[in-house]
Each structure stands twice: as C-alpha cells, then as structure tokens.
Amino acid sequence: LKALPQGAVAHLQLNDLLGGLESIEKIILPAVPEQMLPPDARQLLQMDHPLLTVLGGQRFQAPLNEATIAQHLGLDARSPVSLTLYPGDPRRLWILGIPMANREVLAPVLTGLLAPTEVEEVTLGDKTAVRIVPSLNENISEVYLVCSEATAFLCGGRSMAVALHSMPTAERLDQDTFVSRALPAVEDQLLNLIVNPDW
C-alpha cells in the first residue's frame, strides 16, 4: 500500500500466498474419503501438508514450502500479493504486486507466463521500467514492469508505471482517507478486499 498510488477503485490482497494454499488444503483434505484411497495415498494423508507435498513433488520434486517456492519461482511466499484497480479502462489501469525472494529466478517465470513478443527498457522521467508486449491476452496490449527492492509491480499501462515512480508519499494508497479507515478492519485477514464507495 505504501508504494501504490491513491485513487484506487478496489484493492485485493492475499497477505500470505503459502498461507492461502495451506487454507485451501485444510478445506479439501476433510472431504477426501481416506478408506477409498490406496495405502500409499493414506500414508501421504498422515503428513503435515499432503496436498502441498504432492503439488511440490509433481513440479519441483520437493514439498511445496517457502524455500521451494523461493528457489523455483523466485516468490516470497509469506508476503502479500495484491491487485489494485483504478478508474477507467480495466485493460490498462491496474497494478499487480508480486513479492520477490529472488528476482533472477522470478524473471524467467514471468517471461514464461507473459510469453512476450517484445521486451524493452524504457525511461519514465528519471526512472526506468521494462515494457513488455505479452502474447498471452489480446486485451492487454502492453505491460510495464517496475521493481522495488522486495516487490515486482506489473502495470497495465505506462501511466500506472509513472505513478508508481513519481507519486509523492502523501498521495500513496496507504495515505488515502477511506483506505486508512478501512484497513484496520481487514489487515489481519488472510485475504482482504477494499472497495472505494466513492467510485
């Protein structure tokens, strides 16, 4: 919130990515009919995180945990992931915040997800960003990547990237009157959504 510009229509935040997966696991496991499973699968259910162990084993040959996610995806699995929407064209006026554990690992992961046809470094005032033309979604013509020390921000348009770089501290989202009132009610939740009623 401290990095994002004010004026958002909505802000969706998952405060703990791995915690979210663990919560899904807690919902799914009680519904699994243990007696109908083969013996090997029953043994798996006795583990602390059987679903995460299976998911990690299939993809990374290791249980899915904070260290595995950092090593193979470059993500900080215990930090917030957020999507913030701003008034106007929804194809361009959004910012996705991705917590980084290792940017060198995360870069090829993002490249694989976006499947870019064009990548270039661009100057935004006295700062730089990476402009990406993704082939993944025909409704999104370009994406701008702006990084802080701990977060990669994917922006739907140039104006969003400029705002991230140049917005004064007093005009950041955490300083917004409505957000500062609403935040205490949701900040301890695993998943929170703040919608500005003025929009």
Side-chain angles (χ1 to χ4, degrees):
L1 291 176
K2 291 181 180 178
L4 295 166
Q6 278 186 18
V9 174
H11 177 78
L12 176 66
Q13 184 164 301
L14 176 60
N15 287 315
D16 182 340
L17 177 60
L18 190 56
L21 293 173
E22 290 167 349
S23 295
I24 292 169
E25 183 179 58
K26 286 178 185 175
I27 293 168
I28 292 173
L29 288 181
V32 175
E34 189 172 342
Q35 286 70 29
M36 296 179 67
L37 296 174
D40 289 349
R42 286 184 211 164
Q43 288 179 351
L44 187 64
L45 286 178
Q46 305 309 312
M47 301 176 75
D48 285 341
H49 294 289
L51 183 59
L52 298 182
T53 299
V54 169
L55 290 174
Q58 288 178 341
R59 181 78 191 268
F60 309 121
Q61 290 73 53
L64 198 61
N65 56 33
E66 189 173 353
T68 304
I69 291 171
Q71 179 185 353
H72 294 282
L73 298 176
L75 297 172
D76 180 349
R78 291 296 184 189
S79 293
V81 179
S82 66
L83 176 63
T84 310
L85 305 176
Y86 292 84
D89 187 346
R91 295 169 299 178
R92 296 184 302 107
L93 298 175
W94 53 267
I95 298 174
L96 176 65
I98 303 168
M100 295 187 295
N102 185 325
R103 69 174 65 204
E104 285 75 25
V105 174
L106 181 59
V109 171
L110 290 178
T111 300
L113 290 172
L114 295 171
T117 58
E118 189 178 329
V119 177
E120 64 174 333
E121 188 173 293
V122 295
T123 301
L124 305 174
D126 61 344
K127 308 279 187 176
T128 61
V130 177
R131 178 180 170 270
I132 302 164
V133 178
S135 62
L136 194 63
N137 189 325
E138 61 184 25
N139 293 316
I140 300 175
S141 59
E142 60 183 8
V143 173
Y144 286 80
L145 174 64
V146 176
C147 292
S148 69
E149 188 156 325
T151 308
F153 295 99
L154 291 175
C155 307
R158 183 183 181 93
S159 64
M160 294 284 91
V162 169
L164 270 174
H165 274 317
S166 63
M167 192 73 72
T169 302
E171 295 177 27
R172 298 288 175 174
L173 192 56
D174 66 330
Q175 300 298 312
D176 181 273
T177 305
F178 172 74
V179 171
S180 62
R181 283 199 324 265
L183 197 58
V186 297
E187 64 183 348
D188 293 333
Q189 303 299 314
L190 179 62
L191 180 68
N192 59 57
L193 172 64
I194 298 172
V195 179
N196 192 333
D198 293 338
W199 295 103

